[in-house]
Amino acid sequence: MNQTSCFSPAHILLPAEQIPLEQWGCVACDQFTSDRSYWERAAEAAAGSPSALNLILPEVYLEESDVPARVAKIHETMEDYAHNVLTRAVDGFIYVERTERSGRVRQGLVGKIDLEAYSYAQGARQAIRPSERTVEERIPPRMAVRRGACLETPHVMMLADDPACTLIEPIGARKNELRKVYEGELMLGGGHIAGWAVEDPALLARIDAALQGLGSQEAFDAKYPEARGAKPLTLAVGDGNHSLASAKAYWEELKPTLTPEQRETHPARWCLAEVCNVHSPAIEIEPIHRVLFNVDCGAVLLALITWSDGNMAGICFGSSKKQSFTLAGPHIANVLSFEDPVAPLTVGTIDEFIEYFMARHKEARVDYVHDEPAVRALTKQGGVGFLLPPFEKSDLFKGIVMGGVLPRKTFSMGHAEEKRYYIECRKIIE
């Protein structure tokens, strides 16, 4: 096994078999951030059993005065669970099948990400890269939990650009030969999940070879000819961008206290994550649209033409050019397109214009809206919508390669209940 691999086998801890999965697993801490009642229902569902809910700080509570006490309690619970609850282990990867409410099955591999192969610094060209700009103000609350924690549990989902299905799908084809380590329903409509231990050295070697292939210069140059010769990209963050960034920030804080030898092996150098294939039919990537409020649609259109002329973006009516979108107001909707866009993706070009417009119209406000009917409804109330085209999966990696990261709020991966639930754990102290 290649020790320098950016994604490798781990010593993964699991709760004792008698602990119900429906009470143990819980949704990512950054979901339902305006819905306290969801987290109250989650606490009711988990009551009376050990639960990963007790190992996290839901972001809905970040403004509460008792956050330090909550963090202390989390650390105390981790110590307890490490000794008394997490009594099973897998040495390798866990192959996961998550059945969503639609019936689609999302396949993934849980292992550990090498934080030395990842950076969220703007312009960094590491093997592992964020998909969206990291908002550094979101890191400290998560750092507070990780600092002093003996365990981690992941909701990070990484994506591989693997159209030939070389990494995950061959493992899924052999799942009947593997030891099943968990199966059940997830709380509050999270769907069905099952996991199998991947420990056979031949399978581990196969995963490593596929990963090396995906991260090779040859594969990179073939997939992204416009960036030929640039540093290859192996994995991109699909979900949990700020959790991975927090793990990295904690590792960088810890590193100066360690000897060079300790830095090579300290468990905090890695972070558990699930890797999925972006080309899987179960991975839905939807565009996030933009809506301007307190503005006049005609004034927005005139400003758009002025901005385009100033930046030589070549805006015109119709969808015949490179980047098309719909500008929708209360009474009219026009399909427009840019001939010479200023960014690799339509959303980036639109965001450049919105920034220009809002600097000149202090009364304007922007919101990011997930589905088209919601945008149409807001335009009926006076909003001006920028409806973005369907998000092509190949555009996600192309945007990261060509633009460094995607603009914030570019895409959404599934609904809140379809996000990764915390199940597996790993020790991050020696």
Side-chain angles (χ1 to χ4, degrees):
M1 177 57 57
N2 187 343
Q3 286 305 309
T4 60
S5 180
C6 65
F7 180 62
S8 58
H11 183 67
I12 302 171
L13 303 174
L14 292 168
E17 280 187 50
Q18 67 269 28
I19 293 170
L21 195 60
E22 196 162 0
Q23 289 182 284
W24 173 259
C26 105
V27 80
C29 65
D30 57 353
Q31 299 303 306
F32 302 103
T33 52
S34 301
D35 185 0
R36 193 172 288 245
S37 69
Y38 175 90
W39 292 100
E40 288 165 356
R41 292 199 311 278
E44 285 171 22
S49 170
S51 175
L53 176 61
N54 301 320
L55 304 178
I56 65 157
L57 177 60
E59 293 193 358
V60 72
Y61 299 123
L62 282 183
E63 302 303 316
E64 300 291 304
S65 59
D66 67 345
V67 165
R70 285 178 182 267
V71 171
K73 180 66 177 168
I74 288 167
H75 291 160
E76 189 184 308
T77 305
M78 285 178 173
E79 294 285 351
D80 174 30
Y81 285 8
H83 290 103
N84 304 313
V85 174
L86 297 163
T87 57
R88 297 185 297 145
V90 170
D91 283 296
F93 297 97
I94 294 180
Y95 166 71
V96 175
E97 288 188 353
R98 173 81 174 273
T99 307
E100 298 171 352
R101 286 182 298 179
S102 63
R104 285 188 298 261
V105 177
R106 187 174 75 216
Q107 298 171 287
L109 276 178
V110 177
K112 67 181 194 291
I113 293 292
D114 187 352
L115 297 170
E116 287 289 306
Y118 156 77
S119 173
Y120 56 85
Q122 208 162 347
R125 294 288 186 271
Q126 300 278 64
I128 299 171
R129 298 176 205 171
S131 51
E132 295 186 342
R133 186 174 67 81
T134 303
V135 181
E136 295 202 24
E137 304 79 69
R138 293 187 62 188
I139 294 176
R142 293 161 189 252
M143 280 275 280
V145 175
R146 199 166 180 92
R147 205 183 275 126
C150 69
L151 295 173
E152 65 170 0
T153 182
H155 78 254
V156 177
M157 277 180 59
M158 310 296 299
L159 296 173
D161 185 3
D162 185 17
C165 301
T166 62
L167 181 64
I168 298 161
E169 291 80 359
I171 306 301
R174 297 179 62 176
K175 69 181 182 184
N176 292 339
E177 303 167 28
L178 306 176
R179 173 170 63 97
K180 188 179 282 182
V181 288
Y182 58 72
E183 182 170 19
E185 299 301 310
L186 293 167
M187 68 165 70
L188 303 179
H192 188 85
I193 194 164
W196 291 260
V198 185
E199 297 174 308
D200 174 17
L203 288 182
L204 299 183
R206 179 174 187 156
I207 290 167
D208 191 56
L211 205 64
Q212 300 303 323
L214 290 172
S216 70
Q217 192 72 52
E218 185 184 8
F220 179 85
D221 290 348
K223 274 189 274 198
Y224 319 111
E226 310 96 318
R228 182 179 297 277
K231 284 191 175 175
L233 165 64
T234 307
L235 298 171
V237 186
D239 242 342
N241 194 38
H242 291 89
S243 287
L244 192 61
S246 302
K248 172 71 170 180
Y250 174 66
W251 171 237
E252 292 299 330
E253 181 181 277
L254 187 64
K255 258 200 310 192
T257 71
L258 303 173
T259 66
E261 294 75 25
Q262 288 172 322
R263 292 177 193 181
E264 292 299 310
T265 58
H266 195 286
R269 173 178 163 166
W270 291 270
C271 179
L272 269 191
E274 179 177 350
V275 172
C276 299
N277 184 1
V278 73
H279 296 280
S280 161
I283 299 278
E284 276 200 328
I285 296 182
E286 297 170 348
I288 300 177
H289 309 290
R290 276 69 173 133
V291 182
L292 289 172
F293 299 96
N294 308 326
V295 298
D296 173 75
C297 189
V300 172
L301 180 56
L302 281 174
L304 187 54
I305 294 166
T306 304
W307 175 83
S308 174
D309 289 348
N311 288 276
M312 295 184 288
I315 198 163
C316 59
F317 285 91
S319 60
S320 58
K321 305 302 179 187
K322 284 184 185 168
Q323 290 182 355
S324 65
F325 64 98
T326 299
L327 182 70
H331 309 296
I332 194 165
N334 288 303
V335 176
L336 304 165
S337 55
F338 296 107
E339 187 170 10
D340 294 300
V342 301
L345 301 182
T346 313
V347 63
T349 304
I350 294 296
D351 278 358
E352 293 264 355
F353 163 69
I354 288 175
E355 194 175 317
Y356 158 91
F357 184 85
M358 291 184 70
R360 288 155 181 78
H361 295 267
K362 299 299 182 189
E363 75 284 0
R365 184 174 69 81
V366 66
D367 198 6
Y368 303 90
V369 182
H370 285 248
D371 59 344
E372 187 172 328
V375 175
R376 300 276 185 188
L378 290 169
T379 64
K380 296 284 185 287
Q381 298 165 29
V384 175
F386 292 82
L387 285 161
L388 292 157
F391 198 95
E392 297 297 328
K393 290 181 175 185
S394 57
D395 278 352
L396 189 147
F397 277 77
K398 181 181 157 193
I400 296 167
V401 167
M402 302 304 294
V405 290
L406 305 180
R408 65 186 290 265
K409 303 281 189 185
T410 293
F411 69 93
S412 167
M413 265 179 58
H415 301 289
E417 292 90 350
E418 292 165 353
K419 302 293 183 183
R420 176 156 234 289
Y421 274 51
Y422 302 104
I423 295 175
E424 305 85 356
C425 293
R426 188 179 73 90
K427 283 195 172 176
I428 55 170
I429 59 166
E430 291 187 306

